[in-house]
Amino acid sequence: MQSFENVHIEDVPVEEAWARLSKDESAVLIDVRTRAEWTFVGLPDLSGIGKRVLTVEWQTYPESDVNAGFAERLTQALDAAGATKDTELLFICRSGARSRMAAEAMTRAGFRQCRNVADGFEGPLDADRHRGQVAGWKAAGLAWVQG
């Protein structure tokens, strides 16, 4: 039976997430944004460290419904990538909210090292209401590609 109590998820700054991905060959970055975001906003680029980002939507686009098959689909992708229940999983979204929920779901599914990438890919809005300038993967100057 699954447990639905709150679980503690560690927030990891983007620079630290990059360092962990670089140092631990088994660590995995999982982008839980929508297909539209991957295509039009971009994706983290891990090719420089010989990795690729796993992409599984937490919410469907355009409905924004939580993806009922998320945990099952991600578990299959992780199995195919050779990950285990002890592999460090780093979850990223636009600003850190969906990725936290995804990390909690995978912790409940039995994965023991789920982390949330703080500030996500684009971070919070700046004074001009733009993302990607204040904090997050892009603002930190980490590698990314246009989808």
Side-chain angles (χ1 to χ4, degrees):
M1 175 166 202
Q2 264 188 327
S3 171
F4 290 98
E5 71 272 358
N6 286 335
V7 295
H8 173 73
I9 301 298
E10 176 188 0
D11 282 324
V12 177
V14 292
E15 295 90 346
E16 185 176 333
W18 176 261
R20 290 180 184 198
L21 289 160
S22 298
K23 291 176 186 168
D24 180 354
E25 70 180 43
S26 68
V28 178
L29 182 65
I30 301 141
D31 192 322
V32 302
R33 295 174 300 145
T34 64
R35 293 178 195 276
E37 288 172 293
W38 302 327
T39 301
F40 298 112
V41 180
L43 278 166
D45 180 9
L46 304 181
S47 62
I49 56 172
K51 294 184 175 190
R52 68 179 185 86
V53 178
L54 291 184
T55 55
V56 179
E57 290 180 309
W58 172 252
Q59 292 175 295
T60 59
Y61 178 81
E63 301 84 12
S64 293
D65 295 331
V66 172
N67 177 359
F70 176 82
E72 180 181 342
R73 183 158 176 235
L74 181 53
T75 297
Q76 290 171 350
L78 289 166
D79 286 345
T84 70
K85 298 279 184 171
D86 290 316
T87 299
E88 183 168 33
L89 306 178
L90 297 143
F91 292 82
I92 192 168
C93 67
R94 180 185 67 200
S95 58
R98 287 173 287 174
S99 52
R100 173 172 294 287
M101 290 184 282
E104 290 172 354
M106 294 310 287
T107 297
R108 289 187 192 103
F111 289 85
R112 291 180 273 280
Q113 294 195 68
C114 298
R115 316 285 187 245
N116 183 48
V117 178
D119 293 318
F121 190 66
E122 295 181 274
L125 295 170
D126 67 13
D128 294 322
R129 301 192 47 76
H130 298 152
R131 293 188 188 274
Q133 306 298 314
V134 176
W137 192 274
K138 280 184 162 182
L142 296 172
W144 64 279
V145 293
Q146 197 68 46

